[in-house]
Amino acid sequence: MVNARLALAIVSLLAINSTSHAQDITAGATVFKKCAACHSVEEGQNKVGPSLHKVIGRTAGTLAGYQYSQAMKAAGAGGLVWDEATIEDYLVAPKDKVKGTKMAFVGLKNPKDIKDLYAYLQSVSQ
């Protein structure tokens, strides 16, 4: 009986610890403020950068009505699709991921910010 209680306590602590590292949409919305000068999450509202509404699952360089760089169009033609791994990789160093991109942002350094931003973008991609 004591071992079962101890096991339950350990499992509970592990569950609490793992959820503390979960993606946070609200925190991601705050991180997005760094992006909002150039991007919108509203459908059809492009700024200096394309709208990120429904960006998850989109092939890079293909949003109708936005003038992408040749580099971003080529990346999309080469198979770049925005998913968790590609967005995380891109946000660390955009100019390294897509050489020749018009995006001037130098990147996010905090892995949690990137995960949270992805969660937020996923929430506006449904």
Side-chain angles (χ1 to χ4, degrees), residues 81-121:
V81 174
W82 297 119
D83 61 18
E84 187 169 10
T86 57
I87 285 177
E88 288 179 5
D89 194 28
Y90 185 73
L91 289 175
V92 169
K95 292 184 183 289
D96 289 345
K97 179 71 176 175
V98 179
K99 296 192 185 322
T101 182
K102 295 189 299 187
M103 189 155 134
F105 187 71
V106 295
L108 292 172
K109 302 305 176 212
N110 183 329
K112 180 163 179 9
D113 285 350
I114 294 170
K115 293 255 185 219
D116 292 343
L117 180 57
Y118 176 80
Y120 175 69
L121 292 175

PDB file of all heavy atoms in Angstrom, residues 81-121:
ATOM      1  N   VAL A  81       7.649  23.224 -45.865  1.00  0.00           N
ATOM      2  CA  VAL A  81       6.291  23.389 -45.346  1.00  0.00           C
ATOM      3  C   VAL A  81       6.430  23.811 -43.889  1.00  0.00           C
ATOM      4  O   VAL A  81       7.251  23.267 -43.143  1.00  0.00           O
ATOM      5  CB  VAL A  81       5.481  22.077 -45.454  1.00  0.00           C
ATOM      6  CG1 VAL A  81       4.126  22.215 -44.786  1.00  0.00           C
ATOM      7  CG2 VAL A  81       5.324  21.674 -46.918  1.00  0.00           C
ATOM      8  N   TRP A  82       5.628  24.773 -43.482  1.00  0.00           N
ATOM      9  CA  TRP A  82       5.718  25.293 -42.117  1.00  0.00           C
ATOM     10  C   TRP A  82       5.040  24.334 -41.137  1.00  0.00           C
ATOM     11  O   TRP A  82       3.839  24.248 -41.060  1.00  0.00           O
ATOM     12  CB  TRP A  82       5.103  26.689 -42.035  1.00  0.00           C
ATOM     13  CG  TRP A  82       5.821  27.684 -42.870  1.00  0.00           C
ATOM     14  CD1 TRP A  82       5.313  28.404 -43.901  1.00  0.00           C
ATOM     15  CD2 TRP A  82       7.194  28.060 -42.769  1.00  0.00           C
ATOM     16  NE1 TRP A  82       6.285  29.205 -44.449  1.00  0.00           N
ATOM     17  CE2 TRP A  82       7.458  29.015 -43.773  1.00  0.00           C
ATOM     18  CE3 TRP A  82       8.240  27.681 -41.938  1.00  0.00           C
ATOM     19  CZ2 TRP A  82       8.706  29.609 -43.956  1.00  0.00           C
ATOM     20  CZ3 TRP A  82       9.496  28.270 -42.124  1.00  0.00           C
ATOM     21  CH2 TRP A  82       9.707  29.215 -43.115  1.00  0.00           C
ATOM     22  N   ASP A  83       5.874  23.615 -40.402  1.00  0.00           N
ATOM     23  CA  ASP A  83       5.416  22.754 -39.324  1.00  0.00           C
ATOM     24  C   ASP A  83       6.259  23.105 -38.100  1.00  0.00           C
ATOM     25  O   ASP A  83       7.064  24.047 -38.138  1.00  0.00           O
ATOM     26  CB  ASP A  83       5.516  21.272 -39.700  1.00  0.00           C
ATOM     27  CG  ASP A  83       6.935  20.810 -40.017  1.00  0.00           C
ATOM     28  OD1 ASP A  83       7.920  21.491 -39.635  1.00  0.00           O
ATOM     29  OD2 ASP A  83       7.069  19.758 -40.649  1.00  0.00           O
ATOM     30  N   GLU A  84       6.080  22.379 -37.026  1.00  0.00           N
ATOM     31  CA  GLU A  84       6.779  22.738 -35.789  1.00  0.00           C
ATOM     32  C   GLU A  84       8.294  22.766 -35.969  1.00  0.00           C
ATOM     33  O   GLU A  84       8.960  23.725 -35.587  1.00  0.00           O
ATOM     34  CB  GLU A  84       6.401  21.779 -34.658  1.00  0.00           C
ATOM     35  CG  GLU A  84       6.966  22.206 -33.322  1.00  0.00           C
ATOM     36  CD  GLU A  84       6.402  21.428 -32.153  1.00  0.00           C
ATOM     37  OE1 GLU A  84       5.699  20.416 -32.360  1.00  0.00           O
ATOM     38  OE2 GLU A  84       6.659  21.845 -31.013  1.00  0.00           O
ATOM     39  N   ALA A  85       8.852  21.755 -36.577  1.00  0.00           N
ATOM     40  CA  ALA A  85      10.305  21.683 -36.731  1.00  0.00           C
ATOM     41  C   ALA A  85      10.840  22.796 -37.633  1.00  0.00           C
ATOM     42  O   ALA A  85      11.842  23.435 -37.305  1.00  0.00           O
ATOM     43  CB  ALA A  85      10.707  20.319 -37.281  1.00  0.00           C
ATOM     44  N   THR A  86      10.175  23.048 -38.761  1.00  0.00           N
ATOM     45  CA  THR A  86      10.699  24.058 -39.688  1.00  0.00           C
ATOM     46  C   THR A  86      10.528  25.469 -39.130  1.00  0.00           C
ATOM     47  O   THR A  86      11.412  26.309 -39.297  1.00  0.00           O
ATOM     48  CB  THR A  86      10.048  23.961 -41.080  1.00  0.00           C
ATOM     49  OG1 THR A  86       8.635  24.082 -40.961  1.00  0.00           O
ATOM     50  CG2 THR A  86      10.409  22.661 -41.769  1.00  0.00           C
ATOM     51  N   ILE A  87       9.410  25.715 -38.442  1.00  0.00           N
ATOM     52  CA  ILE A  87       9.215  27.043 -37.844  1.00  0.00           C
ATOM     53  C   ILE A  87      10.233  27.278 -36.739  1.00  0.00           C
ATOM     54  O   ILE A  87      10.842  28.345 -36.657  1.00  0.00           O
ATOM     55  CB  ILE A  87       7.771  27.216 -37.336  1.00  0.00           C
ATOM     56  CG1 ILE A  87       6.849  27.427 -38.544  1.00  0.00           C
ATOM     57  CG2 ILE A  87       7.659  28.381 -36.348  1.00  0.00           C
ATOM     58  CD1 ILE A  87       5.391  27.542 -38.210  1.00  0.00           C
ATOM     59  N   GLU A  88      10.441  26.272 -35.895  1.00  0.00           N
ATOM     60  CA  GLU A  88      11.424  26.422 -34.824  1.00  0.00           C
ATOM     61  C   GLU A  88      12.815  26.678 -35.394  1.00  0.00           C
ATOM     62  O   GLU A  88      13.540  27.556 -34.935  1.00  0.00           O
ATOM     63  CB  GLU A  88      11.418  25.207 -33.909  1.00  0.00           C
ATOM     64  CG  GLU A  88      10.173  25.151 -33.046  1.00  0.00           C
ATOM     65  CD  GLU A  88      10.123  23.930 -32.141  1.00  0.00           C
ATOM     66  OE1 GLU A  88      11.103  23.145 -32.105  1.00  0.00           O
ATOM     67  OE2 GLU A  88       9.112  23.777 -31.455  1.00  0.00           O
ATOM     68  N   ASP A  89      13.182  25.934 -36.413  1.00  0.00           N
ATOM     69  CA  ASP A  89      14.484  26.093 -37.056  1.00  0.00           C
ATOM     70  C   ASP A  89      14.601  27.485 -37.692  1.00  0.00           C
ATOM     71  O   ASP A  89      15.614  28.177 -37.533  1.00  0.00           O
ATOM     72  CB  ASP A  89      14.653  24.995 -38.110  1.00  0.00           C
ATOM     73  CG  ASP A  89      16.071  24.862 -38.606  1.00  0.00           C
ATOM     74  OD1 ASP A  89      17.019  25.185 -37.868  1.00  0.00           O
ATOM     75  OD2 ASP A  89      16.237  24.398 -39.755  1.00  0.00           O
ATOM     76  N   TYR A  90      13.561  27.915 -38.368  1.00  0.00           N
ATOM     77  CA  TYR A  90      13.554  29.210 -39.038  1.00  0.00           C
ATOM     78  C   TYR A  90      13.652  30.358 -38.037  1.00  0.00           C
ATOM     79  O   TYR A  90      14.404  31.309 -38.247  1.00  0.00           O
ATOM     80  CB  TYR A  90      12.279  29.349 -39.875  1.00  0.00           C
ATOM     81  CG  TYR A  90      12.204  30.603 -40.715  1.00  0.00           C
ATOM     82  CD1 TYR A  90      12.979  30.744 -41.859  1.00  0.00           C
ATOM     83  CD2 TYR A  90      11.353  31.641 -40.370  1.00  0.00           C
ATOM     84  CE1 TYR A  90      12.906  31.890 -42.643  1.00  0.00           C
ATOM     85  CE2 TYR A  90      11.262  32.790 -41.147  1.00  0.00           C
ATOM     86  CZ  TYR A  90      12.045  32.908 -42.290  1.00  0.00           C
ATOM     87  OH  TYR A  90      11.972  34.045 -43.059  1.00  0.00           O
ATOM     88  N   LEU A  91      12.922  30.258 -36.945  1.00  0.00           N
ATOM     89  CA  LEU A  91      12.887  31.357 -35.986  1.00  0.00           C
ATOM     90  C   LEU A  91      14.197  31.564 -35.242  1.00  0.00           C
ATOM     91  O   LEU A  91      14.465  32.649 -34.751  1.00  0.00           O
ATOM     92  CB  LEU A  91      11.740  31.171 -34.994  1.00  0.00           C
ATOM     93  CG  LEU A  91      10.351  31.370 -35.584  1.00  0.00           C
ATOM     94  CD1 LEU A  91       9.284  31.045 -34.552  1.00  0.00           C
ATOM     95  CD2 LEU A  91      10.180  32.787 -36.110  1.00  0.00           C
ATOM     96  N   VAL A  92      15.022  30.553 -35.175  1.00  0.00           N
ATOM     97  CA  VAL A  92      16.334  30.701 -34.546  1.00  0.00           C
ATOM     98  C   VAL A  92      17.238  31.573 -35.419  1.00  0.00           C
ATOM     99  O   VAL A  92      17.943  32.450 -34.923  1.00  0.00           O
ATOM    100  CB  VAL A  92      16.986  29.326 -34.293  1.00  0.00           C
ATOM    101  CG1 VAL A  92      18.443  29.465 -33.891  1.00  0.00           C
ATOM    102  CG2 VAL A  92      16.213  28.565 -33.234  1.00  0.00           C
ATOM    103  N   ALA A  93      17.203  31.353 -36.717  1.00  0.00           N
ATOM    104  CA  ALA A  93      18.071  32.090 -37.645  1.00  0.00           C
ATOM    105  C   ALA A  93      17.439  32.094 -39.034  1.00  0.00           C
ATOM    106  O   ALA A  93      17.794  31.272 -39.877  1.00  0.00           O
ATOM    107  CB  ALA A  93      19.459  31.468 -37.684  1.00  0.00           C
ATOM    108  N   PRO A  94      16.493  33.010 -39.293  1.00  0.00           N
ATOM    109  CA  PRO A  94      15.776  33.016 -40.573  1.00  0.00           C
ATOM    110  C   PRO A  94      16.688  33.055 -41.798  1.00  0.00           C
ATOM    111  O   PRO A  94      16.459  32.340 -42.767  1.00  0.00           O
ATOM    112  CB  PRO A  94      14.917  34.278 -40.492  1.00  0.00           C
ATOM    113  CG  PRO A  94      14.753  34.534 -39.035  1.00  0.00           C
ATOM    114  CD  PRO A  94      16.013  34.055 -38.391  1.00  0.00           C
ATOM    115  N   LYS A  95      17.723  33.867 -41.746  1.00  0.00           N
ATOM    116  CA  LYS A  95      18.593  34.016 -42.910  1.00  0.00           C
ATOM    117  C   LYS A  95      19.466  32.789 -43.152  1.00  0.00           C
ATOM    118  O   LYS A  95      19.947  32.591 -44.264  1.00  0.00           O
ATOM    119  CB  LYS A  95      19.436  35.280 -42.786  1.00  0.00           C
ATOM    120  CG  LYS A  95      18.579  36.536 -42.885  1.00  0.00           C
ATOM    121  CD  LYS A  95      19.421  37.788 -42.865  1.00  0.00           C
ATOM    122  CE  LYS A  95      18.570  39.023 -42.896  1.00  0.00           C
ATOM    123  NZ  LYS A  95      17.902  39.306 -44.139  1.00  0.00           N
ATOM    124  N   ASP A  96      19.642  31.969 -42.138  1.00  0.00           N
ATOM    125  CA  ASP A  96      20.373  30.708 -42.324  1.00  0.00           C
ATOM    126  C   ASP A  96      19.466  29.639 -42.913  1.00  0.00           C
ATOM    127  O   ASP A  96      19.901  28.834 -43.733  1.00  0.00           O
ATOM    128  CB  ASP A  96      20.954  30.200 -40.995  1.00  0.00           C
ATOM    129  CG  ASP A  96      22.109  31.054 -40.501  1.00  0.00           C
ATOM    130  OD1 ASP A  96      22.655  31.857 -41.294  1.00  0.00           O
ATOM    131  OD2 ASP A  96      22.459  30.928 -39.312  1.00  0.00           O
ATOM    132  N   LYS A  97      18.205  29.629 -42.487  1.00  0.00           N
ATOM    133  CA  LYS A  97      17.255  28.617 -42.967  1.00  0.00           C
ATOM    134  C   LYS A  97      16.867  28.875 -44.419  1.00  0.00           C
ATOM    135  O   LYS A  97      16.788  27.949 -45.223  1.00  0.00           O
ATOM    136  CB  LYS A  97      16.010  28.606 -42.067  1.00  0.00           C
ATOM    137  CG  LYS A  97      14.943  27.617 -42.466  1.00  0.00           C
ATOM    138  CD  LYS A  97      15.360  26.195 -42.207  1.00  0.00           C
ATOM    139  CE  LYS A  97      14.229  25.240 -42.534  1.00  0.00           C
ATOM    140  NZ  LYS A  97      14.618  23.861 -42.417  1.00  0.00           N
ATOM    141  N   VAL A  98      16.611  30.151 -44.761  1.00  0.00           N
ATOM    142  CA  VAL A  98      16.238  30.514 -46.133  1.00  0.00           C
ATOM    143  C   VAL A  98      17.154  31.658 -46.549  1.00  0.00           C
ATOM    144  O   VAL A  98      16.877  32.831 -46.285  1.00  0.00           O
ATOM    145  CB  VAL A  98      14.750  30.934 -46.242  1.00  0.00           C
ATOM    146  CG1 VAL A  98      14.410  31.330 -47.671  1.00  0.00           C
ATOM    147  CG2 VAL A  98      13.833  29.808 -45.774  1.00  0.00           C
ATOM    148  N   LYS A  99      18.256  31.293 -47.150  1.00  0.00           N
ATOM    149  CA  LYS A  99      19.233  32.303 -47.580  1.00  0.00           C
ATOM    150  C   LYS A  99      18.609  33.183 -48.664  1.00  0.00           C
ATOM    151  O   LYS A  99      18.107  32.688 -49.655  1.00  0.00           O
ATOM    152  CB  LYS A  99      20.494  31.625 -48.084  1.00  0.00           C
ATOM    153  CG  LYS A  99      21.188  30.841 -46.974  1.00  0.00           C
ATOM    154  CD  LYS A  99      22.568  30.409 -47.354  1.00  0.00           C
ATOM    155  CE  LYS A  99      23.245  29.539 -46.330  1.00  0.00           C
ATOM    156  NZ  LYS A  99      23.059  29.792 -44.943  1.00  0.00           N
ATOM    157  N   GLY A 100      18.599  34.512 -48.398  1.00  0.00           N
ATOM    158  CA  GLY A 100      17.996  35.429 -49.340  1.00  0.00           C
ATOM    159  C   GLY A 100      16.595  35.861 -48.948  1.00  0.00           C
ATOM    160  O   GLY A 100      15.946  36.602 -49.674  1.00  0.00           O
ATOM    161  N   THR A 101      16.119  35.414 -47.775  1.00  0.00           N
ATOM    162  CA  THR A 101      14.802  35.840 -47.319  1.00  0.00           C
ATOM    163  C   THR A 101      14.788  37.351 -47.108  1.00  0.00           C
ATOM    164  O   THR A 101      15.812  37.953 -46.797  1.00  0.00           O
ATOM    165  CB  THR A 101      14.398  35.119 -46.007  1.00  0.00           C
ATOM    166  OG1 THR A 101      13.091  35.538 -45.641  1.00  0.00           O
ATOM    167  CG2 THR A 101      15.337  35.419 -44.865  1.00  0.00           C
ATOM    168  N   LYS A 102      13.611  37.947 -47.270  1.00  0.00           N
ATOM    169  CA  LYS A 102      13.456  39.386 -47.019  1.00  0.00           C
ATOM    170  C   LYS A 102      13.298  39.668 -45.529  1.00  0.00           C
ATOM    171  O   LYS A 102      13.389  40.819 -45.113  1.00  0.00           O
ATOM    172  CB  LYS A 102      12.224  39.936 -47.749  1.00  0.00           C
ATOM    173  CG  LYS A 102      12.309  39.882 -49.250  1.00  0.00           C
ATOM    174  CD  LYS A 102      11.169  40.642 -49.924  1.00  0.00           C
ATOM    175  CE  LYS A 102       9.813  40.116 -49.608  1.00  0.00           C
ATOM    176  NZ  LYS A 102       8.725  40.753 -50.390  1.00  0.00           N
ATOM    177  N   MET A 103      13.071  38.637 -44.744  1.00  0.00           N
ATOM    178  CA  MET A 103      12.818  38.840 -43.322  1.00  0.00           C
ATOM    179  C   MET A 103      14.055  39.395 -42.638  1.00  0.00           C
ATOM    180  O   MET A 103      15.120  38.779 -42.639  1.00  0.00           O
ATOM    181  CB  MET A 103      12.390  37.531 -42.658  1.00  0.00           C
ATOM    182  CG  MET A 103      11.903  37.734 -41.248  1.00  0.00           C
ATOM    183  SD  MET A 103      10.794  36.425 -40.781  1.00  0.00           S
ATOM    184  CE  MET A 103      11.421  36.017 -39.177  1.00  0.00           C
ATOM    185  N   ALA A 104      13.899  40.570 -42.029  1.00  0.00           N
ATOM    186  CA  ALA A 104      15.024  41.252 -41.392  1.00  0.00           C
ATOM    187  C   ALA A 104      15.258  40.789 -39.955  1.00  0.00           C
ATOM    188  O   ALA A 104      16.323  41.007 -39.403  1.00  0.00           O
ATOM    189  CB  ALA A 104      14.782  42.763 -41.410  1.00  0.00           C
ATOM    190  N   PHE A 105      14.279  40.142 -39.356  1.00  0.00           N
ATOM    191  CA  PHE A 105      14.369  39.702 -37.965  1.00  0.00           C
ATOM    192  C   PHE A 105      15.541  38.745 -37.805  1.00  0.00           C
ATOM    193  O   PHE A 105      15.717  37.828 -38.612  1.00  0.00           O
ATOM    194  CB  PHE A 105      13.051  39.027 -37.566  1.00  0.00           C
ATOM    195  CG  PHE A 105      12.955  38.691 -36.113  1.00  0.00           C
ATOM    196  CD1 PHE A 105      12.815  39.692 -35.170  1.00  0.00           C
ATOM    197  CD2 PHE A 105      12.981  37.376 -35.690  1.00  0.00           C
ATOM    198  CE1 PHE A 105      12.710  39.393 -33.829  1.00  0.00           C
ATOM    199  CE2 PHE A 105      12.870  37.061 -34.346  1.00  0.00           C
ATOM    200  CZ  PHE A 105      12.739  38.072 -33.414  1.00  0.00           C
ATOM    201  N   VAL A 106      16.337  38.951 -36.764  1.00  0.00           N
ATOM    202  CA  VAL A 106      17.542  38.129 -36.599  1.00  0.00           C
ATOM    203  C   VAL A 106      17.280  36.796 -35.917  1.00  0.00           C
ATOM    204  O   VAL A 106      18.120  35.915 -35.974  1.00  0.00           O
ATOM    205  CB  VAL A 106      18.656  38.890 -35.835  1.00  0.00           C
ATOM    206  CG1 VAL A 106      19.137  40.069 -36.645  1.00  0.00           C
ATOM    207  CG2 VAL A 106      18.190  39.319 -34.466  1.00  0.00           C
ATOM    208  N   GLY A 107      16.142  36.642 -35.270  1.00  0.00           N
ATOM    209  CA  GLY A 107      15.804  35.353 -34.684  1.00  0.00           C
ATOM    210  C   GLY A 107      15.497  35.428 -33.206  1.00  0.00           C
ATOM    211  O   GLY A 107      15.818  36.402 -32.538  1.00  0.00           O
ATOM    212  N   LEU A 108      14.869  34.376 -32.717  1.00  0.00           N
ATOM    213  CA  LEU A 108      14.569  34.226 -31.294  1.00  0.00           C
ATOM    214  C   LEU A 108      15.594  33.271 -30.694  1.00  0.00           C
ATOM    215  O   LEU A 108      15.922  32.261 -31.296  1.00  0.00           O
ATOM    216  CB  LEU A 108      13.168  33.644 -31.096  1.00  0.00           C
ATOM    217  CG  LEU A 108      11.997  34.535 -31.481  1.00  0.00           C
ATOM    218  CD1 LEU A 108      10.683  33.748 -31.412  1.00  0.00           C
ATOM    219  CD2 LEU A 108      11.925  35.745 -30.571  1.00  0.00           C
ATOM    220  N   LYS A 109      16.067  33.585 -29.533  1.00  0.00           N
ATOM    221  CA  LYS A 109      17.103  32.755 -28.904  1.00  0.00           C
ATOM    222  C   LYS A 109      16.555  31.827 -27.824  1.00  0.00           C
ATOM    223  O   LYS A 109      17.132  30.793 -27.541  1.00  0.00           O
ATOM    224  CB  LYS A 109      18.200  33.643 -28.303  1.00  0.00           C
ATOM    225  CG  LYS A 109      18.850  34.559 -29.325  1.00  0.00           C
ATOM    226  CD  LYS A 109      19.393  33.800 -30.524  1.00  0.00           C
ATOM    227  CE  LYS A 109      19.936  34.749 -31.564  1.00  0.00           C
ATOM    228  NZ  LYS A 109      19.803  34.278 -32.913  1.00  0.00           N
ATOM    229  N   ASN A 110      15.428  32.177 -27.207  1.00  0.00           N
ATOM    230  CA  ASN A 110      14.885  31.398 -26.111  1.00  0.00           C
ATOM    231  C   ASN A 110      14.016  30.258 -26.660  1.00  0.00           C
ATOM    232  O   ASN A 110      12.977  30.513 -27.272  1.00  0.00           O
ATOM    233  CB  ASN A 110      14.055  32.306 -25.202  1.00  0.00           C
ATOM    234  CG  ASN A 110      13.512  31.597 -23.988  1.00  0.00           C
ATOM    235  OD1 ASN A 110      13.224  30.408 -24.010  1.00  0.00           O
ATOM    236  ND2 ASN A 110      13.340  32.347 -22.912  1.00  0.00           N
ATOM    237  N   PRO A 111      14.410  29.006 -26.437  1.00  0.00           N
ATOM    238  CA  PRO A 111      13.637  27.875 -26.962  1.00  0.00           C
ATOM    239  C   PRO A 111      12.180  27.857 -26.474  1.00  0.00           C
ATOM    240  O   PRO A 111      11.282  27.477 -27.215  1.00  0.00           O
ATOM    241  CB  PRO A 111      14.393  26.641 -26.459  1.00  0.00           C
ATOM    242  CG  PRO A 111      15.776  27.125 -26.207  1.00  0.00           C
ATOM    243  CD  PRO A 111      15.639  28.557 -25.771  1.00  0.00           C
ATOM    244  N   LYS A 112      11.931  28.279 -25.234  1.00  0.00           N
ATOM    245  CA  LYS A 112      10.556  28.307 -24.724  1.00  0.00           C
ATOM    246  C   LYS A 112       9.729  29.340 -25.482  1.00  0.00           C
ATOM    247  O   LYS A 112       8.579  29.091 -25.827  1.00  0.00           O
ATOM    248  CB  LYS A 112      10.512  28.593 -23.231  1.00  0.00           C
ATOM    249  CG  LYS A 112       9.064  28.621 -22.720  1.00  0.00           C
ATOM    250  CD  LYS A 112       8.942  28.501 -21.259  1.00  0.00           C
ATOM    251  CE  LYS A 112       7.545  28.556 -20.706  1.00  0.00           C
ATOM    252  NZ  LYS A 112       6.407  28.533 -21.562  1.00  0.00           N
ATOM    253  N   ASP A 113      10.314  30.505 -25.777  1.00  0.00           N
ATOM    254  CA  ASP A 113       9.601  31.518 -26.563  1.00  0.00           C
ATOM    255  C   ASP A 113       9.208  30.958 -27.924  1.00  0.00           C
ATOM    256  O   ASP A 113       8.103  31.193 -28.407  1.00  0.00           O
ATOM    257  CB  ASP A 113      10.465  32.770 -26.764  1.00  0.00           C
ATOM    258  CG  ASP A 113      10.573  33.627 -25.526  1.00  0.00           C
ATOM    259  OD1 ASP A 113       9.838  33.378 -24.536  1.00  0.00           O
ATOM    260  OD2 ASP A 113      11.401  34.560 -25.535  1.00  0.00           O
ATOM    261  N   ILE A 114      10.111  30.213 -28.538  1.00  0.00           N
ATOM    262  CA  ILE A 114       9.840  29.633 -29.854  1.00  0.00           C
ATOM    263  C   ILE A 114       8.715  28.604 -29.761  1.00  0.00           C
ATOM    264  O   ILE A 114       7.802  28.602 -30.588  1.00  0.00           O
ATOM    265  CB  ILE A 114      11.123  29.023 -30.454  1.00  0.00           C
ATOM    266  CG1 ILE A 114      12.141  30.139 -30.748  1.00  0.00           C
ATOM    267  CG2 ILE A 114      10.813  28.232 -31.714  1.00  0.00           C
ATOM    268  CD1 ILE A 114      13.529  29.651 -31.109  1.00  0.00           C
ATOM    269  N   LYS A 115       8.766  27.746 -28.757  1.00  0.00           N
ATOM    270  CA  LYS A 115       7.700  26.735 -28.572  1.00  0.00           C
ATOM    271  C   LYS A 115       6.360  27.419 -28.320  1.00  0.00           C
ATOM    272  O   LYS A 115       5.329  27.017 -28.862  1.00  0.00           O
ATOM    273  CB  LYS A 115       8.036  25.808 -27.409  1.00  0.00           C
ATOM    274  CG  LYS A 115       9.235  24.930 -27.672  1.00  0.00           C
ATOM    275  CD  LYS A 115       8.784  23.539 -27.947  1.00  0.00           C
ATOM    276  CE  LYS A 115       9.982  22.632 -28.091  1.00  0.00           C
ATOM    277  NZ  LYS A 115       9.795  21.668 -29.145  1.00  0.00           N
ATOM    278  N   ASP A 116       6.372  28.457 -27.481  1.00  0.00           N
ATOM    279  CA  ASP A 116       5.134  29.169 -27.175  1.00  0.00           C
ATOM    280  C   ASP A 116       4.602  29.894 -28.405  1.00  0.00           C
ATOM    281  O   ASP A 116       3.395  29.891 -28.663  1.00  0.00           O
ATOM    282  CB  ASP A 116       5.352  30.164 -26.030  1.00  0.00           C
ATOM    283  CG  ASP A 116       5.622  29.483 -24.695  1.00  0.00           C
ATOM    284  OD1 ASP A 116       5.332  28.278 -24.554  1.00  0.00           O
ATOM    285  OD2 ASP A 116       6.137  30.169 -23.784  1.00  0.00           O
ATOM    286  N   LEU A 117       5.493  30.499 -29.172  1.00  0.00           N
ATOM    287  CA  LEU A 117       5.067  31.178 -30.396  1.00  0.00           C
ATOM    288  C   LEU A 117       4.463  30.179 -31.372  1.00  0.00           C
ATOM    289  O   LEU A 117       3.437  30.448 -31.997  1.00  0.00           O
ATOM    290  CB  LEU A 117       6.235  31.920 -31.043  1.00  0.00           C
ATOM    291  CG  LEU A 117       5.918  32.663 -32.341  1.00  0.00           C
ATOM    292  CD1 LEU A 117       4.793  33.675 -32.149  1.00  0.00           C
ATOM    293  CD2 LEU A 117       7.164  33.338 -32.867  1.00  0.00           C
ATOM    294  N   TYR A 118       5.068  29.004 -31.488  1.00  0.00           N
ATOM    295  CA  TYR A 118       4.505  27.965 -32.347  1.00  0.00           C
ATOM    296  C   TYR A 118       3.096  27.603 -31.888  1.00  0.00           C
ATOM    297  O   TYR A 118       2.179  27.476 -32.708  1.00  0.00           O
ATOM    298  CB  TYR A 118       5.392  26.712 -32.393  1.00  0.00           C
ATOM    299  CG  TYR A 118       4.747  25.632 -33.210  1.00  0.00           C
ATOM    300  CD1 TYR A 118       4.816  25.674 -34.597  1.00  0.00           C
ATOM    301  CD2 TYR A 118       4.011  24.619 -32.620  1.00  0.00           C
ATOM    302  CE1 TYR A 118       4.173  24.713 -35.368  1.00  0.00           C
ATOM    303  CE2 TYR A 118       3.376  23.653 -33.373  1.00  0.00           C
ATOM    304  CZ  TYR A 118       3.461  23.716 -34.751  1.00  0.00           C
ATOM    305  OH  TYR A 118       2.809  22.775 -35.507  1.00  0.00           O
ATOM    306  N   ALA A 119       2.907  27.432 -30.569  1.00  0.00           N
ATOM    307  CA  ALA A 119       1.576  27.098 -30.038  1.00  0.00           C
ATOM    308  C   ALA A 119       0.567  28.186 -30.413  1.00  0.00           C
ATOM    309  O   ALA A 119      -0.569  27.885 -30.796  1.00  0.00           O
ATOM    310  CB  ALA A 119       1.643  26.922 -28.537  1.00  0.00           C
ATOM    311  N   TYR A 120       0.991  29.437 -30.324  1.00  0.00           N
ATOM    312  CA  TYR A 120       0.099  30.542 -30.695  1.00  0.00           C
ATOM    313  C   TYR A 120      -0.225  30.505 -32.190  1.00  0.00           C
ATOM    314  O   TYR A 120      -1.391  30.621 -32.587  1.00  0.00           O
ATOM    315  CB  TYR A 120       0.736  31.884 -30.325  1.00  0.00           C
ATOM    316  CG  TYR A 120      -0.065  33.062 -30.787  1.00  0.00           C
ATOM    317  CD1 TYR A 120      -1.298  33.352 -30.213  1.00  0.00           C
ATOM    318  CD2 TYR A 120       0.392  33.874 -31.803  1.00  0.00           C
ATOM    319  CE1 TYR A 120      -2.061  34.434 -30.651  1.00  0.00           C
ATOM    320  CE2 TYR A 120      -0.345  34.958 -32.244  1.00  0.00           C
ATOM    321  CZ  TYR A 120      -1.573  35.232 -31.659  1.00  0.00           C
ATOM    322  OH  TYR A 120      -2.319  36.307 -32.106  1.00  0.00           O
ATOM    323  N   LEU A 121       0.788  30.315 -33.019  1.00  0.00           N
ATOM    324  CA  LEU A 121       0.550  30.247 -34.463  1.00  0.00           C
ATOM    325  C   LEU A 121      -0.349  29.061 -34.807  1.00  0.00           C
ATOM    326  O   LEU A 121      -1.200  29.157 -35.697  1.00  0.00           O
ATOM    327  CB  LEU A 121       1.882  30.157 -35.220  1.00  0.00           C
ATOM    328  CG  LEU A 121       2.742  31.408 -35.163  1.00  0.00           C
ATOM    329  CD1 LEU A 121       4.086  31.156 -35.840  1.00  0.00           C
ATOM    330  CD2 LEU A 121       2.031  32.597 -35.785  1.00  0.00           C
TER     331      LEU A 121
END
